[in-house]
Amino acid sequence: MSDQDKVEHVVSKDGSSTLYVPHLNEHYHSTNGAVQESMHVFINSAFNKFEGEQVSILEFGFGTGLNAFLTLINAKADVHYHSMEKYPLNTDKIALLNYGQIEEGRHQVHYNNLHQANWGEEAEIKEGFHLYKQQCDFKTVLLEQKYNLIYFDAFAPDVQPMLWTKDIFKKAYEALLPGGMLTTYCAKGVVRRTMQEVGFSVERLPGPPGKREMLRATK
């Protein structure tokens, strides 16, 4: 049995799905509310703050596709969404997730299309929302584009410390356009100091349910 076969479906406190990874003792989202967390950290604290007719987004960790899906639902501008993931979920695990039921299922087809889009190819999921999913290792990938926003949604530093290093945040900083923002659910002091060390201006914000703080970093 593979590690992914052991991944368990969990219903978080707001009724939305998340997944639990036993060998990491880690959930994909907050058990206090998966959708609430994603909305708070990435949509309300970053995406909804951007003003412009076109926005480019880089995501560290496609995971369940929840951040991409909520971005699509809330989009008021043309979105070019580049998401990186080393270990894509298989179709059996994706089928357990209930995000397509958001807003009475009006966007179910778009959620399905996010997952059915081919890796390594840009796809127009709906008019004005372009998705490019890249199966890669964050540590070695070369980022040639520049972005307005970065959703930093890797597993926690205690679980995957290699993804929260100075080199990773330097890569993120260099990938942002001037004035660009990075948000993450993590608020650890060492993470904040590492971001500042590579040049970010970092602010602590109130966290989603179950977390006191989160971080937003600006170039």
Side-chain angles (χ1 to χ4, degrees):
M1 181 181 290
S2 70
D3 286 338
Q4 191 165 142
D5 290 334
K6 300 173 185 176
V7 171
E8 302 170 10
H9 177 252
V10 176
V11 178
S12 68
K13 288 183 179 179
D14 68 0
S16 59
S17 297
T18 188
L19 297 173
Y20 174 67
V21 186
H23 74 280
L24 297 178
N25 190 27
E26 181 80 336
H27 291 85
Y28 272 70
H29 310 283
S30 170
T31 56
N32 287 293
V35 168
Q36 285 183 96
E37 178 189 45
S38 183
M39 283 295 301
H40 183 94
V41 175
F42 302 110
I43 306 304
N44 293 331
S45 299
F47 185 60
N48 286 345
K49 300 295 184 184
F50 180 81
E51 296 180 1
E53 295 182 357
Q54 186 175 96
V55 57
S56 55
I57 300 171
L58 175 64
E59 178 181 41
F60 281 66
F62 183 72
T64 64
L66 178 58
N67 297 333
F69 185 49
L70 292 175
T71 301
L72 181 152
I73 291 174
N74 288 274
K76 299 178 180 64
D78 286 342
V79 177
H80 289 265
Y81 197 104
H82 177 187
S83 189
M84 301 183 298
E85 175 63 57
K86 189 174 182 179
Y87 302 109
L89 289 170
N90 62 41
T91 55
D92 290 342
K93 299 306 176 188
I94 294 166
L96 298 174
L97 304 170
N98 65 1
Y99 307 138
Q101 298 172 22
I102 292 172
E103 295 188 5
E104 300 179 344
R106 291 197 296 273
H107 308 283
Q108 178 74 61
V109 65
H110 298 315
Y111 183 68
N112 295 343
N113 289 342
L114 287 170
H115 283 288
Q116 292 167 5
N118 292 330
W119 291 85
E121 299 177 13
E122 185 173 83
E124 186 173 29
I125 305 302
K126 74 169 189 176
E127 185 177 357
F129 190 97
H130 294 81
L131 173 68
Y132 177 68
K133 296 188 299 186
Q134 183 177 10
Q135 186 173 0
C136 62
D137 189 326
F138 304 165
K139 301 189 300 295
T140 58
V141 67
L142 297 177
L143 298 175
E144 299 177 349
Q145 292 178 245
K146 299 292 184 182
Y147 304 88
N148 301 112
L149 304 174
I150 292 178
Y151 296 169
F152 200 90
D153 202 17
F155 281 138
D158 293 345
V159 176
Q160 293 185 320
M162 73 293 291
L163 302 181
W164 299 81
T165 64
K166 182 178 178 180
D167 286 344
I168 291 290
F169 284 116
K170 182 179 179 182
K171 181 178 291 189
Y173 182 85
E174 292 174 347
L176 278 171
L177 291 162
M181 294 186 299
L182 177 154
T183 54
T184 180
Y185 61 87
C186 183
K188 285 182 174 291
V190 65
V191 171
R192 176 177 53 82
R193 291 188 292 273
T194 302
M195 290 178 174
Q196 290 171 329
E197 192 175 348
V198 302
F200 279 113
S201 175
V202 185
E203 55 189 320
R204 297 185 183 94
L205 301 176
K211 285 188 66 70
R212 186 165 61 89
E213 294 180 329
M214 57 165 282
L215 296 177
R216 181 167 63 201
T218 304
K219 181 172 180 177

